[in-house]
Amino acid sequence: MEYYVKSVVPIIESNYDNFTNLEKTIADFFITNQKKMDFSAKKISEKLFVSEASLSRFAKKCGYRGYREFVYQYEETFVEKKESIQEHTRMVLNTYQELLNKIYSLMNEQQIRRICKYMSEMRRVFVCGGGSSGLAAREMELRFMRIGVDINSIQDTDLMRMHAVFQNENNMVIGISISGEKEEVIYLLKEAHKKKAKTVLITARNKDVYEQFCDEVVLIPSLTYLNHGNVISPQFPILMIIDLIYSCYVEQDKYYKETLHDNTVKALKGEQ
């Protein structure tokens, strides 16, 4: 049975760093709350000792027109969670399910299609990241090169700075940084943007400053806010987004790209 719920919680989490201390108090309540109650501005302002105006400002920072719209979405999608999960296997599976729901809530299909359009139009694609993000970048390279994309992954920080020099309007740069603060990734995106390349950042942190040098900011859920985030690979939400981009890209010319993929698999096996 499918279990997908549009939730406002990952939206709150992705904007968390933009909140004031007072707004973080509000955010913490909505992130951790597991009980249905009266979520009216009057009741919540009394419960949290904040003003109704603060609730309104908080909702607007989350992208809603006001608190009423925010809380309507919150109430509509609220799912009460079980307080304790004893079996380790069930705990891991439920954590993955929660993460899938958050990816679904953050996913923007129009944005995915725009990114695929850029990939089709650009001559070369560079995808960069460090640590687990770098491993995901390597995986993206291996998958997309099999369907005819001229793509290179960059994990070395010095190479990221070097490649920044050679970017141009025929290139696309995809930066992967869960924190959104990997210095060399941000540097490459900024320099590529200056040179008219298409730029995409995949991150768990939403910051207004990214709009200055990114054509697209793809939000992924942060493991920080999961009860058992420490048992989940940080690559998982990145790989899910890569899968969504891959699926969309293949659909644009399915027969041709699937043929290319099959031919590369045969080549790896040494077949004619």
Side-chain angles (χ1 to χ4, degrees):
M1 182 177 67
E2 288 189 349
Y3 178 70
Y4 297 113
V5 180
K6 278 284 187 182
S7 170
V8 303
V9 172
I11 297 173
I12 298 172
E13 294 171 350
S14 64
N15 286 286
Y16 196 84
D17 290 343
N18 299 328
F19 298 143
T20 64
N21 289 334
L22 181 64
E23 290 163 349
K24 286 180 179 178
T25 299
I26 300 170
D28 291 340
F29 167 74
F30 284 108
I31 289 172
T32 59
N33 174 58
Q34 296 186 23
K35 296 180 180 178
K36 294 181 179 180
M37 62 181 74
D38 183 351
F39 293 110
S40 67
K42 185 175 185 298
K43 288 293 185 181
I44 297 302
S45 63
E46 291 175 355
K47 181 178 181 64
L48 301 182
F49 302 101
V50 299
S51 67
E52 292 185 27
S54 296
L55 292 174
S56 179
R57 285 192 293 271
F58 164 78
K60 288 177 179 177
K61 281 193 178 180
C62 291
Y64 296 91
R65 287 173 292 185
Y67 180 74
R68 182 176 296 181
E69 183 183 41
F70 165 84
V71 83
Y72 174 80
Q73 183 77 33
Y74 187 78
E75 287 177 324
E76 282 291 302
T77 61
F78 189 77
V79 177
E80 189 168 352
K81 302 171 187 175
K82 295 183 178 180
E83 293 188 6
S84 61
I85 299 173
Q86 306 239 339
E87 300 176 11
H88 291 290
T89 300
R90 186 176 177 182
M91 177 269 290
V92 171
L93 292 175
N94 284 352
T95 304
Y96 269 110
Q97 183 64 70
E98 183 178 359
L99 194 52
L100 282 169
N101 287 338
K102 290 185 176 186
I103 291 171
Y104 176 66
S105 298
L106 289 170
M107 180 185 65
N108 183 328
E109 287 187 309
Q110 290 184 342
Q111 181 182 59
I112 297 295
R113 285 194 290 270
R114 288 196 301 271
I115 291 170
C116 291
K117 184 174 181 290
Y118 299 154
M119 294 185 76
S120 297
E121 294 172 347
M122 297 299 106
R123 193 170 298 164
R124 298 191 69 188
V125 178
F126 297 89
V127 55
C128 63
S132 60
S133 297
L135 294 174
R138 175 61 174 163
E139 171 67 14
M140 186 173 186
E141 176 191 21
L142 292 173
R143 295 195 67 189
F144 278 84
M145 69 185 300
R146 290 183 177 183
I147 52 174
V149 178
D150 186 350
I151 182 170
N152 293 96
S153 64
I154 314 168
Q155 292 87 46
D156 183 83
T157 54
D158 289 338
L159 286 178
M160 289 182 203
R161 291 187 173 275
M162 290 175 62
H163 275 283
V165 177
F166 305 109
Q167 298 306 315
N168 58 56
E169 67 276 7
N170 297 315
N171 293 347
M172 177 180 182
V173 175
I174 302 173
I176 305 174
S177 174
I178 295 174
S179 68
E181 296 178 351
K182 181 67 173 177
E183 183 180 348
E184 290 77 14
V185 171
I186 298 302
Y187 176 81
L188 177 51
L189 288 170
K190 286 181 176 179
E191 292 302 305
H193 180 75
K194 289 177 185 176
K195 295 176 173 64
K196 308 300 182 184
K198 288 294 183 183
T199 52
V200 176
L201 174 62
I202 299 175
T203 182
R205 294 287 179 266
N206 190 16
K207 296 182 180 180
D208 293 338
V209 68
Y210 298 150
E211 295 179 3
Q212 298 174 13
F213 55 89
C214 292
D215 294 292
E216 302 288 344
V217 177
V218 182
L219 293 176
I220 58 173
S222 171
L223 302 183
T224 305
Y225 304 98
L226 294 175
N227 290 333
H228 304 284
N230 60 314
V231 302
I232 302 299
S233 167
Q235 293 180 57
F236 180 73
I238 305 171
L239 294 174
M240 281 297 300
I241 289 296
I242 292 173
D243 285 344
L244 289 169
I245 297 172
Y246 182 88
S247 175
C248 178
Y249 187 80
V250 168
E251 277 299 316
Q252 291 178 348
D253 191 349
K254 192 170 184 179
Y255 176 77
Y256 173 69
K257 288 166 183 171
E258 286 184 345
T259 301
L260 283 176
H261 178 271
D262 292 343
N263 288 341
T264 58
V265 171
K266 289 178 181 178
L268 289 171
K269 293 180 178 179
E271 300 177 14
Q272 294 297 322

